[in-house]
Structures are given as C-alpha cells and as structure tokens.
Amino acid sequence: MLLLTLLVLGRAEPRAPGREALTGAALPDLAEEAVMWIASQRRGLPPPALDLAGSLGRRLDGLVPRLAWLDPRSPEAASIRKLVARELPDLVEGWRAVPVSARRVPHANGRTPEDDLINGLQLIDAELARAAGALGRSSSDAIAVQGRYLDLKYGQDERLP
C-alpha cells in the first residue's frame, strides 16, 4: 500500500501555484509564477479568453529578464506586482465564481460576465505591453545617459564646446 501511494505521488503533476505564490513571489520570479498560474487557470475559460491567456503568458515571459534588474521598491515594480498578483487573479476568480449558467446572460449594461472577463484580460494584456515598453525605454535611456556621460568625461570629441 505504501509503495502504491509513493508511486501515485511521484507521478502526480506538480501542484499549480496558487494566489499565495503570486503575492509572495520575489519580483524576479513573479512573471514565471504568473505564467504557471495562468496555465493552471486555462481549463474552463471561454475560447477568446484562452487566446488572451496565451498572449498574457508570452508577455510575462518577455518581462522575466527585465524584472530581474528592476528595483522592487520602484513604482513600476509596485504597479506590475499589483496588476499580476492582485488584479489578474481577482478578475479570473471573480469570473469563476459566476455560475456557469449565468456566464452568458447579459447584465443591464448588455454585457455578459464572459464579455467582462475578456475585456479585463485585454486591458491587462495591454497594460503589460505598455509596462514592457516603458521598461525597455528606461533601460535604453539609462544606457544612452551612461554613454553620454562617458563621452563627456573621457571623450575627445571636437564637437563638444
């Protein structure tokens, strides 16, 4: 009996990270934890949301190297952490709390909970794209500033006054 239990546990898939893993993750690990969390949430999502979940996973994968050097105390880090560790899970878990029979029933505003989920995922995807672009620009700006500083300090450029 013990051998059978060990075999079952040894072959079981690793447990998907829960919301706690997202909130407790160090900033450099946050994107990887979020990718695993999103993958674990795919089951039962409507087809348009599946496409958006894939897009979110790719965007988060692209953020991994940038988050490694980002100061965890910076406003950018706080914004990304809030978006990925709080708002994304709130959206998906809120949609999951809606009974299956009510997910396609329009509210007074004409939108269904499924529409709200898809719209929310699109907004999060767009915000991740914006954040990735801003982080890319800030690293480009930093290297340009450093290059200009070195040029001013050590360069023999005739163009300088």
Side-chain angles (χ1 to χ4, degrees):
M1 187 70 144
L2 180 61
L3 181 62
L4 181 60
T5 303
L6 290 174
L7 283 172
V8 168
L9 290 177
R11 292 181 181 250
E13 291 184 27
R15 206 171 133 232
R19 187 176 191 146
E20 312 78 42
L22 292 175
T23 56
L27 188 62
D29 302 328
L30 179 62
E32 292 173 347
E33 291 288 339
V35 168
M36 289 189 292
W37 184 84
I38 289 169
S40 72
Q41 300 299 311
R42 291 177 64 89
R43 195 170 127 231
L45 292 178
L50 288 174
D51 294 340
L52 288 165
S55 177
L56 286 170
R58 287 186 296 279
R59 288 213 194 277
L60 287 164
D61 278 337
L63 278 176
V64 169
R66 292 180 180 143
L67 293 180
W69 59 264
L70 186 61
D71 180 3
R73 297 167 295 180
S74 70
E76 295 86 4
S79 176
I80 290 171
R81 181 174 292 286
K82 181 180 177 187
L83 182 67
V84 172
R86 188 169 16 152
E87 292 170 353
L88 176 61
D90 283 350
L91 176 67
V92 174
E93 290 170 3
W95 179 79
R96 288 199 184 280
V98 175
V100 174
S101 60
R103 289 180 180 169
R104 292 191 175 163
V105 175
H107 294 291
N109 64 2
R111 295 177 61 133
T112 66
E114 191 172 299
D115 294 337
D116 291 333
L117 171 70
I118 292 164
N119 183 58
L121 290 174
Q122 287 171 335
L123 291 170
I124 290 172
D125 188 50
E127 184 59 23
L128 284 175
R130 189 206 60 74
L135 289 175
R137 281 188 303 278
S138 68
S139 60
S140 294
D141 292 347
I143 194 70
V145 167
Q146 182 66 25
R148 183 69 179 142
Y149 165 78
L150 292 172
D151 188 41
L152 287 171
K153 184 166 184 163
Y154 303 109
Q156 301 298 322
D157 196 348
E158 306 291 312
R159 295 174 289 160
L160 295 177

